[in-house]
Amino acid sequence: MAAALVDASGVALSLPRPPRRIVSLVPSTTETLCALGLADALVGITVYCREPREALAGKTRVGGEKDPDLALIRALAPDLVIANIEENVAEHVAALRAWGIPVWVTYPRTVADGIRLIRELGALTGTAERAEALAAPLEAHLAEVTAATARRPPVRVFYAIWREPWMTINRDTYIHDMLRVCGGANVFADRAERYPRVTLEEVAAARPEVILLPDEPFRFRRAHLQDFAPFRDVPAVAAGRVLLVDGKPFSWHGPRIGDALRTLPALLAGA
């Protein structure tokens, strides 16, 4: 039996052998498990787990992150379920554990945490060597990007996650840290709530130089760019830097970190 590891919920987990039947309740973790060569071991995924598309074709869908079919998960007889403190529901995790199903709970809140998670999953699933091959280059790239962006003034950024009401992120979030690493300064970093509600007037007063409208969790579209048209004196609006972006590089852990570190510094700098 492998030595016990402690997950983000404070629960120690020791598996007698590498898991052969895994249910993933987190889309980014599903992608990471496939990168670790565990696609065949995935017996259940959420309806939002779509990448890598070919590897997930035909997999059993167990529902959404917030409303999975627990009875279906139990029927799949998994020897490991992977969940997340924020994306999943604590009562669901408790129910699965009460049935004797091992659950590993994650909660990366920084880019470094996201890289560490790759190694944790490797240790948990018997793929430590492959995990290290993924994590080590990301770690080196993170150091390079952090050093490079530290040499220039940060770019003031408003990152939206919802509309009506408008919502954003504070400093205690993975997205905030990704922005920081890549040269951005989150204009609502100091708000007390992790996901504060804001008005467009507050956004304008914060004077962002870049406004980012991702396609998840709210699906921002071209029509939403017009919401900012009345605020012509805001630097981001004046410079035409209200941008529709793919949300995955900002919020997905695992291999997506590499994509983020390659593309986001230039995006924020305006290159």
Side-chain angles (χ1 to χ4, degrees):
M1 182 177 292
L5 299 171
V6 178
D7 75 0
S9 70
V11 173
L13 180 62
S14 179
L15 300 177
R17 66 185 70 85
R20 300 185 179 96
R21 298 182 62 79
I22 302 173
V23 172
S24 172
L25 300 178
V26 187
S28 59
T29 298
T30 298
E31 184 177 61
T32 302
L33 292 170
C34 290
L36 292 174
L38 295 165
D40 290 343
L42 277 169
V43 296
I45 57 177
T46 76
V47 294
Y48 302 108
C49 295
R50 301 189 181 105
E51 301 290 342
R53 195 170 299 273
E54 290 184 6
L56 301 182
K59 298 289 185 184
T60 298
R61 306 279 173 165
V62 301
E65 288 101 324
K66 304 296 186 188
D67 57 351
D69 185 333
L70 299 183
L72 176 56
I73 294 174
R74 188 181 192 182
L76 290 171
D79 47 14
L80 180 64
V81 174
I82 302 177
N84 177 272
I85 282 180
E86 192 164 60
E87 294 193 40
N88 307 119
V89 178
E91 289 77 11
H92 295 163
V93 171
L96 294 169
R97 285 173 169 162
W99 288 335
I101 298 172
V103 182
W104 180 261
V105 180
T106 68
Y107 195 28
R109 284 182 284 178
T110 67
V111 180
D113 286 348
I115 297 172
R116 192 176 303 112
L117 176 59
I118 297 172
R119 291 191 171 103
E120 289 178 351
L121 292 173
L124 194 66
T125 61
T127 58
E129 186 173 336
R130 190 155 184 171
E132 184 61 27
L134 285 173
L138 292 177
E139 206 164 52
H141 198 180
L142 172 60
E144 292 170 3
V145 170
T146 301
T149 56
R151 292 193 289 268
R152 63 173 187 250
V155 178
R156 294 177 59 79
V157 180
F158 169 63
Y159 188 96
I161 61 169
W162 207 259
R163 180 179 182 270
E164 295 184 353
W166 285 89
M167 297 179 69
T168 185
I169 46 127
N170 79 355
R171 68 173 65 255
D172 188 31
T173 58
Y174 180 89
I175 296 171
H176 167 91
D177 195 62
M178 181 59 78
L179 290 171
R180 178 193 65 79
V181 164
C182 294
N186 171 16
V187 295
F188 291 107
D190 293 332
R191 287 294 179 97
E193 307 89 354
R194 295 192 74 219
Y195 300 109
R197 294 186 180 192
V198 296
T199 66
L200 289 182
E201 289 72 22
E202 287 176 309
V203 174
R207 310 282 297 166
E209 298 166 273
V210 179
I211 294 173
L212 299 176
L213 305 179
D215 59 0
E216 60 179 36
F218 182 90
R219 199 169 181 82
F220 283 100
R221 285 292 178 259
R222 185 166 298 279
H224 301 132
L225 299 176
Q226 294 305 309
D227 292 342
F228 297 92
F231 303 97
R232 295 187 183 89
D233 62 337
V234 173
V237 179
R241 303 202 65 204
V242 183
L243 308 176
L244 296 169
V245 294
D246 179 0
K248 294 181 184 66
F250 296 92
S251 60
W252 281 38
H253 325 117
R256 296 279 175 170
I257 293 173
D259 297 337
L261 296 177
R262 281 189 294 272
T263 62
L264 299 189
L267 175 73
L268 296 180

